């Protein structure tokens, strides 16, 4: 058996929720419960004694590592610079603007099928999209496009770095090189060789070797 | 076909990662020097394998057939008599050398992949804290110049989801041409917002290569069609000035 | 100022991803960088010395608490997780991308000798590789590279930390020796069929598939 305190420490650390003593005992099957409790107490005491930045606390019926409350300000300072992520609605709206710009709000809504005021506002605030101008049409609708910051965030040199629809289907859909349907789509970039055409070729080139086996299959 | 051989391979069917992997297996199995492959033997065993898969009605990737024909070609070249007059430029090339190079390279990466898999992998050998920190500990206002973390793949997936939902043919017509046109449209609109109006010459600026001129012209046509810009001319054959269609 | 090692410990613990030294320094504004590094080194050493169940590891350009590899079995017993392991195809593809990046799909396929659409897609989804841009070559193929997550998952400090691969240069040397040796035995002027010449031939065989796509590309 490994070093029991170390195992307990790792278990508490890796657990998604506060880890009850019973669960620790269940994992350390065969070890006496009092022995487990004893090791746990010593572990908690050791963290206290060291004045460590983290400590094991009993919360919600289990044990969990937490940072010391006195250090909360430091953690907040760290988290203040945490990168935000985009909501699925914002990502979809952004994708439509990126691929279909210059585009007006009504067109985005036709594609997404819902009102896009909120995600548009968010994207403008995050400076990922911008107003490119207005259209000389009834209501003078605003035209949107992506920004330089958009390129920076997505690590693109220019818009042409965005994958095209053809590549997109290639990336997002499993496909077999032998699938004739997809073969047609891809011929422009990379010629797809069909199984049939290969067999034909092989049989033409080396008739004696193949024909023999063709018969017995 | 050799019965023993076929059962031997049948067990191995799912193991091969491609024709190169199969060849490496055959080389190892026959304890052959990779730098001096007896091509007739290997070709025969390779073809036996392919025919067996076919006889089992299993899918055979096209790559296996490419390799089969390559092997047969090398074999036929090895059988050719030595020419009387060895004056050809490429006479030093062993017909097998390209294949050997490929095999060695593939083997090196196969080993590298195995080495990678032996490292202490996250979620397999080592674990990080998976509990969420209490809300009150982490909530704080993000700074003004908020950082955003997103990958192109997420953007692609988002767009792909939309396309999948709509099955819209028009959406599919996005290619590199359209994207580079959009780059220029963005550029033109940028400069028009800053400078209010510009001539075609001014729009081109320093970069006057053919492609740039054509794309700028196409961008202008597109912008006029979209009613985003207007073009005015003071006199016949006079300079054409481009204005934003609507003052912002 | 609080006890610096404790603050560093808490920051590393609270960070959602490996925490770079620079970020620790930025939070501990005013503390000398060498002092921070010194405190961090002592902290790491203390965890090692105690034979603790967790340790601070340097991965992906930062520092992170991780459980000890020896204790993996216990944690799996607790979590009951089957690791979503990578297939050999995915691992090989990943290795090629890792060592050869920036790399395009066709180059990976040349090395592996098979179509890599499916493993590439899987690796993109797992965020182990990413699209880096496009190559300035005909067809503008997409360039792939590894991500920070790749470093995290494979416990690597940085890309240069990759295990050394068997040198490919020695091969070319041996190869040229072989070429000389066998030169006299095997002379033939017939061309080896390369994939290219195959494709050329096939495109002649199935003109209707090719010509259609040539027009719209």
């Amino acid at each position: 058996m490994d070093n029991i305190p170390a195992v307990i420490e790792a278990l508490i650390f890796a657990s998604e929720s506060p880890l009850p003593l019973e669960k620790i005992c269940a994992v350390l099957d065969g070890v006496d419960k009092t022995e487990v409790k004893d090791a746990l107490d010593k572990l908690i005491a050791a963290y206290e004694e060291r004045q460590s930045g983290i400590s094991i606390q009993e919360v919600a019926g289990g044990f969990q590592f937490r940072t010391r409350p006195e250090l909360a300000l430091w953690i907040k300072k760290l988290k203040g610079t945490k990168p935000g992520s985009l909501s699925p609605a914002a990502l979809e709206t952004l994708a439509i603007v990126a691929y279909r710009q210059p585009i007006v709000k009504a067109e985005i809504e036709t594609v997404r099928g819902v009102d896009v005021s909120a995600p548009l506002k968010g994207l403008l605030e995050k400076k990922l999209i911008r107003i490119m101008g207005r259209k000389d049409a009834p209501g003078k609708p605003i035209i949107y496009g992506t920004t330089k910051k958009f390129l920076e965030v997505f690590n693109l040199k220019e818009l042409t770095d965005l994958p095209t629809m053809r590549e997109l289907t290639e990336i997002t859909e499993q496909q077999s090189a032998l699938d004739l349907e997809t073969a047609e789509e891809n011929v422009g970039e990379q010629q797809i060789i069909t199984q049939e055409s290969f067999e034909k070729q092989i049989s033409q080139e080396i008739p004696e070797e193949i024909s023999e086996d063709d018969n017995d299959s | 076909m050799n019965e023993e051989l076929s059962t031997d391979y049948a067990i191995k069917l799912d193991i091969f990662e491609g024709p190169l992997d199969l060849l490496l297996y055959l080389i190892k199995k026959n304890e052959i020097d990779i730098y001096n492959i007896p091509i007739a033997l290997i070709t025969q065993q390779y073809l036996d394998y392919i025919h067996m898969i076919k006889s089992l009605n299993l899918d055979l990737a096209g790559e296996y057939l490419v390799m089969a024909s390559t092997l047969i070609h090398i074999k036929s070249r090895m059988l050719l008599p030595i020419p009387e007059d060895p004056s050809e430029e490429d006479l030093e090339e062993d017909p097998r050398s390209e294949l050997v190079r490929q095999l060695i390279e593939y083997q090196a990466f196969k080993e590298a992949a195995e080495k990678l898999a032996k490292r202490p992998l996250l979620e397999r050998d080592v674990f990080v804290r998976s509990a969420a920190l209490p809300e009150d500990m982490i909530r704080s206002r993000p700074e003004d110049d908020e950082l955003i973390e997103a990958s192109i793949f997420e953007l692609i997936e988002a767009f792909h989801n939309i396309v999948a939902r709509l099955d819209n043919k028009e959406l599919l017509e996005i290619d590199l041409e359209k994207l580079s046109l959009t780059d220029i449209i963005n550029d033109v609109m940028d400069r028009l917002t800053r400078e209010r109006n510009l001539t075609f010459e001014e729009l081109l600026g320093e970069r006057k290569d053919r492609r740039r001129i054509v794309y700028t012209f196409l961008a202008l046509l597109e912008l006029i069609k979209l009613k985003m810009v207007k073009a005015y001319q003071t006199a016949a054959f006079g300079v054409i000035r481009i204005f934003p269609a609507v003052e912002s």
Side-chain angles (χ1 to χ4, degrees), chain B residues 35 63 77 97 104-106 111 115 119 127 129:
Chain B
Y35 292 102
E63 294 96 354
R77 280 191 59 192
S97 58
I104 299 276
E105 189 184 33
Y106 175 68
E111 283 169 11
K115 262 196 206 169
R119 295 188 58 81
F127 296 82
R129 170 177 68 83

Side-chain angles (χ1 to χ4, degrees), chain A residues 16-28:
Chain A
E16 267 165 56
S17 48
L19 194 62
L21 184 61
E22 294 68 41
K23 232 171 164 180
I24 302 176
C25 291
V27 174
L28 285 167

Side-chain angles (χ1 to χ4, degrees), chain A residues 9 42-54 65 68:
Chain A
E9 200 174 5
K42 277 188 188 141
L43 198 59
I44 295 172
Y47 271 93
E48 292 303 323
E49 205 181 304
R50 272 204 297 284
Q51 282 296 305
S52 162
I54 56 177
F65 272 105
R68 259 177 221 292

Side-chain angles (χ1 to χ4, degrees), chain B residues 67-124:
Chain B
M67 183 57 76
S69 60
T70 304
L71 286 173
I72 291 158
H73 252 265
I74 294 173
K75 188 177 143 190
S76 64
R77 280 191 59 192
M78 302 283 286
L79 292 173
L80 284 179
I82 305 152
E84 302 278 303
D85 175 24
S87 62
E88 293 296 322
E89 276 283 315
D90 59 347
L91 90 183
E92 284 179 22
E93 177 88 81
D94 184 309
R96 300 170 296 184
S97 58
E98 171 57 22
L99 181 65
V100 171
R101 193 200 57 72
Q102 254 185 301
L103 282 169
I104 299 276
E105 189 184 33
Y106 175 68
Q107 194 177 36
F109 278 109
K110 206 172 145 64
E111 283 169 11
E114 282 160 12
K115 262 196 206 169
L116 272 181
K118 280 188 191 132
R119 295 188 58 81
L121 291 196
L122 194 61
E123 295 288 309
R124 187 189 74 182

Side-chain angles (χ1 to χ4, degrees), chain A residues 1-3 6-7 9-11 13-16 19 23 26-29 47 50-54 65-67 70-71 74-75 77-79 81 155 157-158 160-164 166-167 170-175 177 180 183-185 187-188 190-191 193 197-198 200-201 204-205:
Chain A
M1 170 82 63
D2 287 285
N3 165 2
V7 176
E9 200 174 5
L11 288 175
F13 173 81
S15 174
E16 267 165 56
L19 194 62
K23 232 171 164 180
V27 174
L28 285 167
D29 194 23
Y47 271 93
R50 272 204 297 284
Q51 282 296 305
S52 162
I54 56 177
F65 272 105
R66 295 255 169 127
T67 58
E70 311 91 87
L71 304 178
W74 296 106
I75 312 286
K77 203 170 164 193
L78 172 75
K79 299 281 171 171
T81 57
N155 221 347
K157 271 205 289 292
E158 46 196 6
T160 44
D161 280 352
L162 277 171
T164 63
R166 187 199 284 164
E167 291 163 336
E170 200 177 286
I171 293 167
T172 50
E173 269 163 24
Q174 289 231 8
Q175 73 169 48
L180 277 174
E184 278 186 6
E185 282 173 36
V187 172
Q190 193 194 337
Q191 286 174 4
I193 297 145
S197 62
F198 258 116
K200 207 192 292 171
Q201 209 168 345
Q204 281 164 357
E205 279 175 354

Side-chain angles (χ1 to χ4, degrees), chain B residues 33-46:
Chain B
D33 175 9
I34 197 163
Y35 292 102
N36 192 14
I37 300 169
I39 207 78
L41 172 76
I42 288 297
T43 304
Q44 191 48 56
Q45 293 192 359
Y46 186 94

